[in-house]
Amino acid sequence: MSASTTSPRTVICVGDVHGYIAKLESLWSNLQATLPADAFAAALVIFLGDYNDRGPHTREVIDFLLALPARHPAQRHVFLCGNHDLAFAAFVGELPPPPDGSPFSATWEEYIHNEEHEGWFRGQGYEGMHVQGRRWGGVIKERWNPKKGLPYRGSIYDAQPTFESYGVAHGSPDLAKAVPEEHKRFLRDLVWIHEEENVPIDTDEGRIICNLIAVHAGLEKSIDLNEQLRVLRTRDTRVPKVPMLSGRQDVWNTPKVS
């Protein structure tokens, strides 16, 4: 870090849209209205993942994101993968293959004790599916989520609204046919980490310039940092569950909520 008086590119981070197109459109309008026109026009916009599930309009959200480069050609857009996006991609067959050539079924073992409770997907194609895809497309037996005080929407991932946004029933293998090719490409190309140099942060002592590491959930304190970076940079799909895309309790530099 070093002190700086320059005016680097504005960085905008947007997290967890979760299928709510109206909220995304409202947020985007507010950003455009609040930021100086030149700063918004040339901003680096990092979407932090979880575009699908829970809300009713996953399809429209992805259409909105895909249109941004044409609508704002001077901006840079980064689309990170969240745990919900990884599971969606796994279900429709768009995860990168494990680097060692192992089958996706090798990811089942660690969480197999959850299979019955979570009602993992056992429909067409399940034999070659990553464990998170099976969890995502399954039908959870307990319909009430005690942590949120709300009913589950189909699966432990609340994936039913995503299926319905593409016009198919929850858990239907026809989703892979219903998802447009450009949406599959979007899921396939999601990065697990974005690293950016020379990012400005305003502090009480003045502006400092930092290196930014952006991931969906956070880097875990209890896991070797270099190993985490390796998994994220290579998108290592041998990992049954990627803590950096789903962890909440043990992450570095989590802001305190007052």
PDB file of all heavy atoms in Angstrom, residues 193-226:
ATOM      1  N   ILE A 193     -12.080 -16.100  -9.056  1.00  0.00           N
ATOM      2  CA  ILE A 193     -11.316 -15.070  -8.344  1.00  0.00           C
ATOM      3  C   ILE A 193     -10.965 -13.971  -9.335  1.00  0.00           C
ATOM      4  O   ILE A 193     -10.759 -14.233 -10.529  1.00  0.00           O
ATOM      5  CB  ILE A 193     -10.031 -15.668  -7.712  1.00  0.00           C
ATOM      6  CG1 ILE A 193      -9.289 -14.605  -6.884  1.00  0.00           C
ATOM      7  CG2 ILE A 193      -9.113 -16.278  -8.767  1.00  0.00           C
ATOM      8  CD1 ILE A 193      -8.137 -15.189  -6.055  1.00  0.00           C
ATOM      9  N   HIS A 194     -10.939 -12.734  -8.845  1.00  0.00           N
ATOM     10  CA  HIS A 194     -10.440 -11.626  -9.656  1.00  0.00           C
ATOM     11  C   HIS A 194      -9.420 -10.860  -8.830  1.00  0.00           C
ATOM     12  O   HIS A 194      -9.679 -10.497  -7.681  1.00  0.00           O
ATOM     13  CB  HIS A 194     -11.559 -10.678 -10.091  1.00  0.00           C
ATOM     14  CG  HIS A 194     -11.059  -9.534 -10.909  1.00  0.00           C
ATOM     15  ND1 HIS A 194     -10.631  -9.688 -12.222  1.00  0.00           N
ATOM     16  CD2 HIS A 194     -10.877  -8.226 -10.611  1.00  0.00           C
ATOM     17  CE1 HIS A 194     -10.223  -8.529 -12.691  1.00  0.00           C
ATOM     18  NE2 HIS A 194     -10.360  -7.625 -11.735  1.00  0.00           N
ATOM     19  N   GLU A 195      -8.274 -10.623  -9.426  1.00  0.00           N
ATOM     20  CA  GLU A 195      -7.189  -9.904  -8.754  1.00  0.00           C
ATOM     21  C   GLU A 195      -6.893  -8.628  -9.529  1.00  0.00           C
ATOM     22  O   GLU A 195      -6.693  -8.665 -10.747  1.00  0.00           O
ATOM     23  CB  GLU A 195      -5.960 -10.804  -8.673  1.00  0.00           C
ATOM     24  CG  GLU A 195      -6.230 -12.063  -7.851  1.00  0.00           C
ATOM     25  CD  GLU A 195      -5.139 -13.113  -7.979  1.00  0.00           C
ATOM     26  OE1 GLU A 195      -4.163 -13.055  -7.210  1.00  0.00           O
ATOM     27  OE2 GLU A 195      -5.289 -14.000  -8.844  1.00  0.00           O
ATOM     28  N   GLU A 196      -6.876  -7.517  -8.821  1.00  0.00           N
ATOM     29  CA  GLU A 196      -6.748  -6.208  -9.451  1.00  0.00           C
ATOM     30  C   GLU A 196      -5.736  -5.367  -8.685  1.00  0.00           C
ATOM     31  O   GLU A 196      -5.800  -5.259  -7.454  1.00  0.00           O
ATOM     32  CB  GLU A 196      -8.110  -5.503  -9.450  1.00  0.00           C
ATOM     33  CG  GLU A 196      -8.171  -4.216 -10.221  1.00  0.00           C
ATOM     34  CD  GLU A 196      -8.309  -4.420 -11.717  1.00  0.00           C
ATOM     35  OE1 GLU A 196      -8.725  -5.525 -12.139  1.00  0.00           O
ATOM     36  OE2 GLU A 196      -8.014  -3.467 -12.461  1.00  0.00           O
ATOM     37  N   GLU A 197      -4.811  -4.771  -9.406  1.00  0.00           N
ATOM     38  CA  GLU A 197      -3.823  -3.883  -8.791  1.00  0.00           C
ATOM     39  C   GLU A 197      -4.306  -2.439  -8.845  1.00  0.00           C
ATOM     40  O   GLU A 197      -5.167  -2.075  -9.637  1.00  0.00           O
ATOM     41  CB  GLU A 197      -2.472  -4.013  -9.505  1.00  0.00           C
ATOM     42  CG  GLU A 197      -1.847  -5.404  -9.394  1.00  0.00           C
ATOM     43  CD  GLU A 197      -0.494  -5.480 -10.082  1.00  0.00           C
ATOM     44  OE1 GLU A 197      -0.152  -4.540 -10.838  1.00  0.00           O
ATOM     45  OE2 GLU A 197       0.221  -6.483  -9.869  1.00  0.00           O
ATOM     46  N   ASN A 198      -3.735  -1.627  -7.968  1.00  0.00           N
ATOM     47  CA  ASN A 198      -3.950  -0.174  -7.981  1.00  0.00           C
ATOM     48  C   ASN A 198      -5.423   0.214  -7.799  1.00  0.00           C
ATOM     49  O   ASN A 198      -5.992   0.989  -8.563  1.00  0.00           O
ATOM     50  CB  ASN A 198      -3.411   0.439  -9.285  1.00  0.00           C
ATOM     51  CG  ASN A 198      -1.935   0.184  -9.464  1.00  0.00           C
ATOM     52  OD1 ASN A 198      -1.170   0.249  -8.505  1.00  0.00           O
ATOM     53  ND2 ASN A 198      -1.529  -0.131 -10.685  1.00  0.00           N
ATOM     54  N   VAL A 199      -6.006  -0.333  -6.745  1.00  0.00           N
ATOM     55  CA  VAL A 199      -7.395  -0.011  -6.407  1.00  0.00           C
ATOM     56  C   VAL A 199      -7.397   1.024  -5.277  1.00  0.00           C
ATOM     57  O   VAL A 199      -6.763   0.808  -4.245  1.00  0.00           O
ATOM     58  CB  VAL A 199      -8.158  -1.275  -5.972  1.00  0.00           C
ATOM     59  CG1 VAL A 199      -9.557  -0.929  -5.485  1.00  0.00           C
ATOM     60  CG2 VAL A 199      -8.233  -2.264  -7.136  1.00  0.00           C
ATOM     61  N   PRO A 200      -8.085   2.141  -5.441  1.00  0.00           N
ATOM     62  CA  PRO A 200      -8.070   3.188  -4.412  1.00  0.00           C
ATOM     63  C   PRO A 200      -9.009   2.891  -3.251  1.00  0.00           C
ATOM     64  O   PRO A 200     -10.130   2.447  -3.443  1.00  0.00           O
ATOM     65  CB  PRO A 200      -8.541   4.425  -5.177  1.00  0.00           C
ATOM     66  CG  PRO A 200      -9.454   3.871  -6.234  1.00  0.00           C
ATOM     67  CD  PRO A 200      -8.865   2.534  -6.635  1.00  0.00           C
ATOM     68  N   ILE A 201      -8.525   3.135  -2.055  1.00  0.00           N
ATOM     69  CA  ILE A 201      -9.341   3.027  -0.853  1.00  0.00           C
ATOM     70  C   ILE A 201      -9.162   4.320  -0.061  1.00  0.00           C
ATOM     71  O   ILE A 201      -8.035   4.712   0.257  1.00  0.00           O
ATOM     72  CB  ILE A 201      -8.902   1.831   0.027  1.00  0.00           C
ATOM     73  CG1 ILE A 201      -9.003   0.516  -0.758  1.00  0.00           C
ATOM     74  CG2 ILE A 201      -9.735   1.777   1.299  1.00  0.00           C
ATOM     75  CD1 ILE A 201     -10.401   0.068  -1.061  1.00  0.00           C
ATOM     76  N   ASP A 202     -10.256   4.979   0.262  1.00  0.00           N
ATOM     77  CA  ASP A 202     -10.186   6.203   1.056  1.00  0.00           C
ATOM     78  C   ASP A 202     -10.254   5.861   2.536  1.00  0.00           C
ATOM     79  O   ASP A 202     -11.182   5.184   2.988  1.00  0.00           O
ATOM     80  CB  ASP A 202     -11.327   7.153   0.685  1.00  0.00           C
ATOM     81  CG  ASP A 202     -11.166   7.726  -0.717  1.00  0.00           C
ATOM     82  OD1 ASP A 202     -10.021   8.030  -1.090  1.00  0.00           O
ATOM     83  OD2 ASP A 202     -12.179   7.860  -1.430  1.00  0.00           O
ATOM     84  N   THR A 203      -9.259   6.297   3.298  1.00  0.00           N
ATOM     85  CA  THR A 203      -9.194   6.043   4.734  1.00  0.00           C
ATOM     86  C   THR A 203      -9.106   7.363   5.479  1.00  0.00           C
ATOM     87  O   THR A 203      -8.999   8.438   4.872  1.00  0.00           O
ATOM     88  CB  THR A 203      -7.956   5.183   5.071  1.00  0.00           C
ATOM     89  OG1 THR A 203      -6.775   5.987   4.935  1.00  0.00           O
ATOM     90  CG2 THR A 203      -7.854   3.967   4.161  1.00  0.00           C
ATOM     91  N   ASP A 204      -9.110   7.294   6.809  1.00  0.00           N
ATOM     92  CA  ASP A 204      -8.979   8.498   7.617  1.00  0.00           C
ATOM     93  C   ASP A 204      -7.631   9.168   7.402  1.00  0.00           C
ATOM     94  O   ASP A 204      -7.483  10.374   7.628  1.00  0.00           O
ATOM     95  CB  ASP A 204      -9.144   8.151   9.106  1.00  0.00           C
ATOM     96  CG  ASP A 204     -10.557   7.713   9.440  1.00  0.00           C
ATOM     97  OD1 ASP A 204     -11.476   8.043   8.650  1.00  0.00           O
ATOM     98  OD2 ASP A 204     -10.741   7.040  10.469  1.00  0.00           O
ATOM     99  N   GLU A 205      -6.646   8.385   6.980  1.00  0.00           N
ATOM    100  CA  GLU A 205      -5.309   8.930   6.745  1.00  0.00           C
ATOM    101  C   GLU A 205      -5.114   9.379   5.304  1.00  0.00           C
ATOM    102  O   GLU A 205      -4.014   9.800   4.921  1.00  0.00           O
ATOM    103  CB  GLU A 205      -4.235   7.885   7.082  1.00  0.00           C
ATOM    104  CG  GLU A 205      -4.100   7.570   8.572  1.00  0.00           C
ATOM    105  CD  GLU A 205      -5.246   6.718   9.093  1.00  0.00           C
ATOM    106  OE1 GLU A 205      -5.735   5.845   8.328  1.00  0.00           O
ATOM    107  OE2 GLU A 205      -5.661   6.936  10.239  1.00  0.00           O
ATOM    108  N   GLY A 206      -6.152   9.276   4.491  1.00  0.00           N
ATOM    109  CA  GLY A 206      -6.038   9.656   3.089  1.00  0.00           C
ATOM    110  C   GLY A 206      -6.244   8.457   2.186  1.00  0.00           C
ATOM    111  O   GLY A 206      -6.558   7.354   2.632  1.00  0.00           O
ATOM    112  N   ARG A 207      -6.066   8.686   0.922  1.00  0.00           N
ATOM    113  CA  ARG A 207      -6.271   7.620  -0.052  1.00  0.00           C
ATOM    114  C   ARG A 207      -5.033   6.737  -0.135  1.00  0.00           C
ATOM    115  O   ARG A 207      -3.904   7.224  -0.190  1.00  0.00           O
ATOM    116  CB  ARG A 207      -6.588   8.208  -1.425  1.00  0.00           C
ATOM    117  CG  ARG A 207      -6.651   7.186  -2.544  1.00  0.00           C
ATOM    118  CD  ARG A 207      -7.246   7.740  -3.812  1.00  0.00           C
ATOM    119  NE  ARG A 207      -8.674   7.977  -3.666  1.00  0.00           N
ATOM    120  CZ  ARG A 207      -9.475   8.394  -4.651  1.00  0.00           C
ATOM    121  NH1 ARG A 207      -8.980   8.621  -5.841  1.00  0.00           N
ATOM    122  NH2 ARG A 207     -10.756   8.582  -4.432  1.00  0.00           N
ATOM    123  N   ILE A 208      -5.262   5.442  -0.138  1.00  0.00           N
ATOM    124  CA  ILE A 208      -4.189   4.484  -0.344  1.00  0.00           C
ATOM    125  C   ILE A 208      -4.533   3.631  -1.561  1.00  0.00           C
ATOM    126  O   ILE A 208      -5.702   3.505  -1.934  1.00  0.00           O
ATOM    127  CB  ILE A 208      -3.945   3.585   0.885  1.00  0.00           C
ATOM    128  CG1 ILE A 208      -5.223   2.813   1.260  1.00  0.00           C
ATOM    129  CG2 ILE A 208      -3.439   4.399   2.062  1.00  0.00           C
ATOM    130  CD1 ILE A 208      -5.035   1.828   2.403  1.00  0.00           C
ATOM    131  N   ILE A 209      -3.516   3.071  -2.175  1.00  0.00           N
ATOM    132  CA  ILE A 209      -3.689   2.230  -3.349  1.00  0.00           C
ATOM    133  C   ILE A 209      -3.365   0.791  -2.954  1.00  0.00           C
ATOM    134  O   ILE A 209      -2.287   0.520  -2.430  1.00  0.00           O
ATOM    135  CB  ILE A 209      -2.800   2.700  -4.507  1.00  0.00           C
ATOM    136  CG1 ILE A 209      -3.101   4.162  -4.855  1.00  0.00           C
ATOM    137  CG2 ILE A 209      -3.005   1.808  -5.728  1.00  0.00           C
ATOM    138  CD1 ILE A 209      -4.542   4.431  -5.267  1.00  0.00           C
ATOM    139  N   CYS A 210      -4.304  -0.107  -3.192  1.00  0.00           N
ATOM    140  CA  CYS A 210      -4.183  -1.485  -2.727  1.00  0.00           C
ATOM    141  C   CYS A 210      -4.289  -2.467  -3.884  1.00  0.00           C
ATOM    142  O   CYS A 210      -4.705  -2.120  -4.984  1.00  0.00           O
ATOM    143  CB  CYS A 210      -5.300  -1.803  -1.729  1.00  0.00           C
ATOM    144  SG  CYS A 210      -5.371  -0.715  -0.303  1.00  0.00           S
ATOM    145  N   ASN A 211      -3.921  -3.694  -3.596  1.00  0.00           N
ATOM    146  CA  ASN A 211      -4.216  -4.813  -4.480  1.00  0.00           C
ATOM    147  C   ASN A 211      -5.510  -5.468  -3.995  1.00  0.00           C
ATOM    148  O   ASN A 211      -5.640  -5.791  -2.817  1.00  0.00           O
ATOM    149  CB  ASN A 211      -3.079  -5.825  -4.486  1.00  0.00           C
ATOM    150  CG  ASN A 211      -1.815  -5.260  -5.112  1.00  0.00           C
ATOM    151  OD1 ASN A 211      -1.878  -4.334  -5.930  1.00  0.00           O
ATOM    152  ND2 ASN A 211      -0.680  -5.803  -4.743  1.00  0.00           N
ATOM    153  N   LEU A 212      -6.454  -5.656  -4.891  1.00  0.00           N
ATOM    154  CA  LEU A 212      -7.757  -6.202  -4.555  1.00  0.00           C
ATOM    155  C   LEU A 212      -7.835  -7.673  -4.954  1.00  0.00           C
ATOM    156  O   LEU A 212      -7.441  -8.038  -6.063  1.00  0.00           O
ATOM    157  CB  LEU A 212      -8.849  -5.431  -5.291  1.00  0.00           C
ATOM    158  CG  LEU A 212     -10.271  -6.010  -5.250  1.00  0.00           C
ATOM    159  CD1 LEU A 212     -10.860  -5.889  -3.853  1.00  0.00           C
ATOM    160  CD2 LEU A 212     -11.164  -5.314  -6.274  1.00  0.00           C
ATOM    161  N   ILE A 213      -8.304  -8.507  -4.037  1.00  0.00           N
ATOM    162  CA  ILE A 213      -8.657  -9.887  -4.352  1.00  0.00           C
ATOM    163  C   ILE A 213     -10.150 -10.022  -4.107  1.00  0.00           C
ATOM    164  O   ILE A 213     -10.626  -9.827  -2.992  1.00  0.00           O
ATOM    165  CB  ILE A 213      -7.883 -10.899  -3.485  1.00  0.00           C
ATOM    166  CG1 ILE A 213      -6.379 -10.807  -3.758  1.00  0.00           C
ATOM    167  CG2 ILE A 213      -8.376 -12.320  -3.744  1.00  0.00           C
ATOM    168  CD1 ILE A 213      -5.552 -11.715  -2.867  1.00  0.00           C
ATOM    169  N   ALA A 214     -10.886 -10.351  -5.161  1.00  0.00           N
ATOM    170  CA  ALA A 214     -12.333 -10.484  -5.052  1.00  0.00           C
ATOM    171  C   ALA A 214     -12.729 -11.938  -5.258  1.00  0.00           C
ATOM    172  O   ALA A 214     -12.370 -12.549  -6.263  1.00  0.00           O
ATOM    173  CB  ALA A 214     -13.033  -9.609  -6.088  1.00  0.00           C
ATOM    174  N   VAL A 215     -13.444 -12.502  -4.278  1.00  0.00           N
ATOM    175  CA  VAL A 215     -14.045 -13.825  -4.399  1.00  0.00           C
ATOM    176  C   VAL A 215     -15.462 -13.715  -3.846  1.00  0.00           C
ATOM    177  O   VAL A 215     -15.806 -12.743  -3.179  1.00  0.00           O
ATOM    178  CB  VAL A 215     -13.240 -14.911  -3.642  1.00  0.00           C
ATOM    179  CG1 VAL A 215     -11.843 -15.038  -4.205  1.00  0.00           C
ATOM    180  CG2 VAL A 215     -13.187 -14.630  -2.156  1.00  0.00           C
ATOM    181  N   HIS A 216     -16.258 -14.733  -4.105  1.00  0.00           N
ATOM    182  CA  HIS A 216     -17.666 -14.624  -3.743  1.00  0.00           C
ATOM    183  C   HIS A 216     -17.882 -14.507  -2.239  1.00  0.00           C
ATOM    184  O   HIS A 216     -18.601 -13.627  -1.764  1.00  0.00           O
ATOM    185  CB  HIS A 216     -18.450 -15.827  -4.282  1.00  0.00           C
ATOM    186  CG  HIS A 216     -19.868 -15.848  -3.812  1.00  0.00           C
ATOM    187  ND1 HIS A 216     -20.781 -14.880  -4.175  1.00  0.00           N
ATOM    188  CD2 HIS A 216     -20.537 -16.708  -2.990  1.00  0.00           C
ATOM    189  CE1 HIS A 216     -21.938 -15.142  -3.612  1.00  0.00           C
ATOM    190  NE2 HIS A 216     -21.828 -16.238  -2.877  1.00  0.00           N
ATOM    191  N   ALA A 217     -17.281 -15.417  -1.468  1.00  0.00           N
ATOM    192  CA  ALA A 217     -17.552 -15.440  -0.033  1.00  0.00           C
ATOM    193  C   ALA A 217     -16.372 -14.910   0.778  1.00  0.00           C
ATOM    194  O   ALA A 217     -16.554 -14.119   1.695  1.00  0.00           O
ATOM    195  CB  ALA A 217     -17.903 -16.858   0.429  1.00  0.00           C
ATOM    196  N   GLY A 218     -15.166 -15.335   0.479  1.00  0.00           N
ATOM    197  CA  GLY A 218     -14.004 -14.849   1.209  1.00  0.00           C
ATOM    198  C   GLY A 218     -12.929 -15.899   1.309  1.00  0.00           C
ATOM    199  O   GLY A 218     -13.174 -17.095   1.112  1.00  0.00           O
ATOM    200  N   LEU A 219     -11.720 -15.464   1.607  1.00  0.00           N
ATOM    201  CA  LEU A 219     -10.607 -16.374   1.821  1.00  0.00           C
ATOM    202  C   LEU A 219     -10.647 -16.850   3.268  1.00  0.00           C
ATOM    203  O   LEU A 219     -10.821 -16.058   4.192  1.00  0.00           O
ATOM    204  CB  LEU A 219      -9.284 -15.675   1.514  1.00  0.00           C
ATOM    205  CG  LEU A 219      -9.105 -15.228   0.063  1.00  0.00           C
ATOM    206  CD1 LEU A 219      -7.822 -14.419  -0.092  1.00  0.00           C
ATOM    207  CD2 LEU A 219      -9.108 -16.412  -0.887  1.00  0.00           C
ATOM    208  N   GLU A 220     -10.481 -18.144   3.460  1.00  0.00           N
ATOM    209  CA  GLU A 220     -10.632 -18.756   4.774  1.00  0.00           C
ATOM    210  C   GLU A 220      -9.343 -18.648   5.594  1.00  0.00           C
ATOM    211  O   GLU A 220      -8.250 -18.889   5.090  1.00  0.00           O
ATOM    212  CB  GLU A 220     -11.002 -20.234   4.618  1.00  0.00           C
ATOM    213  CG  GLU A 220     -12.341 -20.456   3.926  1.00  0.00           C
ATOM    214  CD  GLU A 220     -13.498 -20.467   4.897  1.00  0.00           C
ATOM    215  OE1 GLU A 220     -13.319 -20.944   6.034  1.00  0.00           O
ATOM    216  OE2 GLU A 220     -14.591 -20.009   4.509  1.00  0.00           O
ATOM    217  N   LYS A 221      -9.479 -18.316   6.859  1.00  0.00           N
ATOM    218  CA  LYS A 221      -8.321 -18.204   7.737  1.00  0.00           C
ATOM    219  C   LYS A 221      -7.657 -19.557   8.006  1.00  0.00           C
ATOM    220  O   LYS A 221      -6.451 -19.627   8.236  1.00  0.00           O
ATOM    221  CB  LYS A 221      -8.731 -17.577   9.072  1.00  0.00           C
ATOM    222  CG  LYS A 221      -9.201 -16.146   8.974  1.00  0.00           C
ATOM    223  CD  LYS A 221      -9.613 -15.626  10.352  1.00  0.00           C
ATOM    224  CE  LYS A 221     -10.122 -14.199  10.282  1.00  0.00           C
ATOM    225  NZ  LYS A 221     -10.561 -13.710  11.609  1.00  0.00           N
ATOM    226  N   SER A 222      -8.439 -20.626   8.020  1.00  0.00           N
ATOM    227  CA  SER A 222      -7.938 -21.928   8.449  1.00  0.00           C
ATOM    228  C   SER A 222      -7.355 -22.764   7.310  1.00  0.00           C
ATOM    229  O   SER A 222      -6.921 -23.886   7.542  1.00  0.00           O
ATOM    230  CB  SER A 222      -9.055 -22.711   9.136  1.00  0.00           C
ATOM    231  OG  SER A 222     -10.157 -22.875   8.253  1.00  0.00           O
ATOM    232  N   ILE A 223      -7.371 -22.239   6.076  1.00  0.00           N
ATOM    233  CA  ILE A 223      -6.848 -22.974   4.922  1.00  0.00           C
ATOM    234  C   ILE A 223      -5.640 -22.235   4.372  1.00  0.00           C
ATOM    235  O   ILE A 223      -5.645 -20.999   4.292  1.00  0.00           O
ATOM    236  CB  ILE A 223      -7.924 -23.121   3.831  1.00  0.00           C
ATOM    237  CG1 ILE A 223      -9.186 -23.787   4.397  1.00  0.00           C
ATOM    238  CG2 ILE A 223      -7.402 -23.933   2.653  1.00  0.00           C
ATOM    239  CD1 ILE A 223     -10.348 -23.839   3.414  1.00  0.00           C
ATOM    240  N   ASP A 224      -4.620 -22.971   3.995  1.00  0.00           N
ATOM    241  CA  ASP A 224      -3.411 -22.368   3.438  1.00  0.00           C
ATOM    242  C   ASP A 224      -3.770 -21.420   2.285  1.00  0.00           C
ATOM    243  O   ASP A 224      -4.493 -21.799   1.359  1.00  0.00           O
ATOM    244  CB  ASP A 224      -2.467 -23.465   2.934  1.00  0.00           C
ATOM    245  CG  ASP A 224      -1.214 -22.890   2.296  1.00  0.00           C
ATOM    246  OD1 ASP A 224      -0.334 -22.436   3.024  1.00  0.00           O
ATOM    247  OD2 ASP A 224      -1.152 -22.894   1.038  1.00  0.00           O
ATOM    248  N   LEU A 225      -3.262 -20.200   2.353  1.00  0.00           N
ATOM    249  CA  LEU A 225      -3.630 -19.181   1.372  1.00  0.00           C
ATOM    250  C   LEU A 225      -3.240 -19.590  -0.040  1.00  0.00           C
ATOM    251  O   LEU A 225      -4.024 -19.437  -0.981  1.00  0.00           O
ATOM    252  CB  LEU A 225      -2.984 -17.842   1.736  1.00  0.00           C
ATOM    253  CG  LEU A 225      -3.216 -16.698   0.744  1.00  0.00           C
ATOM    254  CD1 LEU A 225      -4.711 -16.400   0.584  1.00  0.00           C
ATOM    255  CD2 LEU A 225      -2.460 -15.450   1.176  1.00  0.00           C
ATOM    256  N   ASN A 226      -2.029 -20.114  -0.204  1.00  0.00           N
ATOM    257  CA  ASN A 226      -1.583 -20.489  -1.541  1.00  0.00           C
ATOM    258  C   ASN A 226      -2.454 -21.590  -2.131  1.00  0.00           C
ATOM    259  O   ASN A 226      -2.710 -21.608  -3.342  1.00  0.00           O
ATOM    260  CB  ASN A 226      -0.115 -20.913  -1.512  1.00  0.00           C
ATOM    261  CG  ASN A 226       0.815 -19.747  -1.283  1.00  0.00           C
ATOM    262  OD1 ASN A 226       0.539 -18.629  -1.730  1.00  0.00           O
ATOM    263  ND2 ASN A 226       1.919 -19.982  -0.593  1.00  0.00           N
TER     264      ASN A 226
END
